[in-house]
Amino acid sequence: MRTQILLSLLIPFAVGITAAHAATIGPRPFFLVDQMQQGPLKEQLSACAADFLAGKKLETTLFSIGHRGAPLQFPEHTAQSYKAAAQMGAGIVECDVTFTKDKQLVCRHSQADLHTTTNILTTDLAAKCTTPFEPATKHSKANAKCLTSDITLAEFQSLKGKMDAADKTATTPKEYIKGTAGWRTDLYAATSGTLMTHKDSITLLKQLGVKFTPELKSPSVTMPYDGMSQENYAQMLIDDYKTAGVPASDVWVQSFNLDDILYWIKHEPAFGKQAVYLDGRNSKQIDIMDANSFKPSMQALKDMGVNYIAPPLWMLVTAQDGKIVPSIYATQAKAAGLNIIAWSLERSGPLTTGGGWYYQSINNIVDNDGAVYELLDVLANRIGVSNVFSDWPATTTFFANCMGLK
């Protein structure tokens, strides 16, 4: 029996998995339930946990989106991270899309993050970085800046992925690329993650049986870039799915740039129908409890043809009488008929001290890791979000299965 269990965990990473397989979520969801405060929600999730521990099958769910894969423990945007997300039941997995010097699309969270997410500083390619490594001194922190547009696709593919981190006190590149947060780990694929081109990600995710949510990242270089306009860039992303024969209904293209969304709505309406406007307006630009501060308004966005809006977690909720409740932002978005996707669960680390930036509207009432399920309950059952990004999709997969969410 022990051998069979071990094989069931190892085979997916060896030969790939499909959505037809049951999800494998590990102990974390159950740990989080144990941390919850006593109440009806904990009782419901505890009973559900008992059913799954007794052998009930966990299903892959579109509610659960792998944010950059599963970067709580696997280097983001690597084959290992994508496979882990799919194994944990994420029905949709994200590739953030940027481009190389020779204008090839690759999966990176930022065009300017190679120095923190890969081993580039310890390779010969370090000399090509926009800002080569600068050691820390008594008066300054260590620094570096390496763009995907600093190198060609072939050079990009020679690199290895690592956990997103940097040691600002470092005096050598080898020291600098360390610094992984204590609540993450270098146990899996440390400095050896397999980087992905956008086309590679499509091939892999098709094999894994999951759907796609690519984000067109804002360039760190001036556009047009070597003759490539922003519109060309947006079209290239869509063309990769069309060439691969992926139906538009399986793709949720994303951008923080509303003009990108409107471009897709106009020029690629099948993909534009599910285009996701990432709302990056911060608290200085928008008051989540004042509908008059939403510019453009939710209804205006809907009238433009936008069907999906995706704000950070904190914009959707507020605290009231010690409880997490929907914000005006959330109720206005739903009233306008917008589908809501929330980002990103389990990005902030432990919640014992308020949860950090992603929980800023409810920091004063968040004091334990189990609060993640209180938040999910409000998002799913009171607001009605369609999907939730997570750095550890097992958490959202478990919740969706318990609540009957698809």
Side-chain angles (χ1 to χ4, degrees):
M1 176 62 73
R2 182 179 180 184
T3 300
Q4 290 176 338
I5 293 173
L6 289 173
L7 284 174
S8 71
L9 294 175
L10 292 173
I11 287 175
F13 278 90
V15 300
I17 62 175
T18 70
H21 289 74
T24 303
I25 59 170
R28 180 166 173 77
F30 309 116
F31 164 81
L32 294 174
V33 172
D34 284 344
Q35 300 302 305
M36 294 178 67
Q37 296 179 356
Q38 293 298 325
L41 181 61
K42 180 173 183 175
E43 292 175 5
Q44 180 181 1
L45 294 178
S46 296
C48 182
D51 289 340
F52 290 126
L53 289 171
K56 184 179 178 181
K57 184 179 178 181
L58 278 150
E59 301 287 351
T60 293
T61 169
L62 296 180
F63 180 82
S64 180
I65 301 179
H67 179 237
R68 315 184 199 181
L72 184 64
Q73 293 195 30
F74 291 85
E76 64 186 52
H77 295 309
T78 62
Q80 292 81 5
S81 191
Y82 292 163
K83 289 178 181 179
Q87 186 183 31
M88 287 187 281
I92 306 172
V93 176
E94 179 187 46
C95 164
D96 289 327
V97 179
T98 187
F99 55 86
T100 59
K101 185 176 183 179
D102 45 353
K103 296 179 285 188
Q104 300 299 304
L105 302 185
V106 295
C107 299
R108 287 290 90 196
H109 177 64
S110 167
Q111 191 171 33
D113 72 1
L114 293 183
H115 51 290
T116 63
T117 65
T118 76
N119 66 336
I120 191 170
L121 291 179
T122 58
T123 74
D124 292 340
L125 294 174
K128 295 189 175 185
C129 290
T130 294
T131 304
F133 175 72
E134 300 170 348
T137 68
K138 290 183 179 180
H139 306 292
S140 62
K141 296 180 179 180
N143 186 40
K145 187 176 183 180
C146 304
L147 279 63
T148 56
S149 54
D150 289 336
I151 58 177
T152 66
L153 176 62
E155 291 169 332
F156 174 85
Q157 291 176 309
S158 73
L159 300 175
K160 298 296 183 182
K162 72 174 191 71
M163 297 300 283
D164 184 11
D167 182 351
K168 295 293 187 176
T169 67
T171 58
T172 68
K174 187 175 181 180
E175 293 173 346
Y176 183 84
I177 67 173
K178 296 181 180 179
T180 300
W183 42 271
R184 290 182 174 167
T185 180
D186 286 323
L187 181 61
Y188 301 109
T191 68
S192 63
T194 304
L195 300 190
M196 306 293 289
T197 68
H198 184 227
K199 291 177 181 177
D200 287 341
S201 77
I202 294 172
T203 299
L204 176 60
L205 297 179
K206 284 178 69 175
Q207 291 172 349
L208 294 172
V210 302
K211 301 184 189 297
F212 314 83
T213 185
E215 179 190 336
L216 194 73
K217 301 303 295 186
S218 297
S220 298
V221 294
T222 301
M223 300 295 279
Y225 174 79
D226 191 24
M228 179 178 68
S229 68
Q230 183 69 25
E231 292 78 12
N232 296 151
Y233 178 34
Q235 187 62 50
M236 287 167 61
L237 182 149
I238 298 296
D239 288 345
D240 279 349
Y241 291 95
K242 294 167 75 172
T243 299
V246 176
S249 59
D250 286 352
V251 184
W252 287 261
V253 290
Q254 313 170 66
S255 179
F256 281 99
N257 182 356
L258 183 57
D259 287 341
D260 292 335
I261 304 299
L262 299 179
Y263 172 85
W264 289 321
I265 291 171
K266 179 178 179 180
H267 297 281
E268 292 288 350
F271 289 89
K273 184 179 180 180
Q274 292 189 162
V276 182
Y277 172 45
L278 295 165
D279 196 342
R281 294 172 289 182
N282 59 39
S283 55
K284 293 181 180 180
Q285 297 171 304
I286 193 169
D287 180 347
I288 61 172
M289 298 304 289
D290 179 8
N292 292 323
S293 72
F294 310 158
K295 301 183 185 301
S297 69
M298 299 300 182
Q299 189 58 55
L301 289 171
K302 183 67 175 177
D303 292 343
M304 294 176 195
V306 176
N307 290 317
Y308 284 83
I309 192 168
L313 299 170
W314 68 265
M315 291 177 72
L316 293 168
V317 292
T318 190
Q320 186 177 88
D321 298 326
K323 302 292 184 181
I324 302 171
V325 298
S327 67
I328 298 299
Y329 177 101
T331 58
Q332 287 286 309
K334 290 302 289 186
L338 293 170
N339 296 292
I340 302 173
I341 300 177
W343 50 273
S344 293
L345 214 65
E346 298 172 290
R347 187 72 190 164
S348 300
L351 305 186
T352 52
T353 56
W357 186 86
Y358 287 90
Y359 287 73
Q360 61 185 273
S361 60
I362 54 173
N363 283 152
N364 61 331
I365 61 170
V366 173
D367 60 5
N368 73 88
D369 287 338
V372 70
Y373 282 131
E374 295 175 24
L375 174 59
L376 274 175
D377 185 52
V378 174
L379 292 174
N381 295 322
R382 294 194 60 184
I383 297 173
V385 302
S386 56
N387 320 79
V388 176
F389 281 94
S390 177
D391 278 25
W392 198 243
T395 300
T396 41
T397 296
F398 167 76
F399 182 83
N401 272 261
C402 287
M403 297 295 172
L405 306 172
K406 300 299 182 183

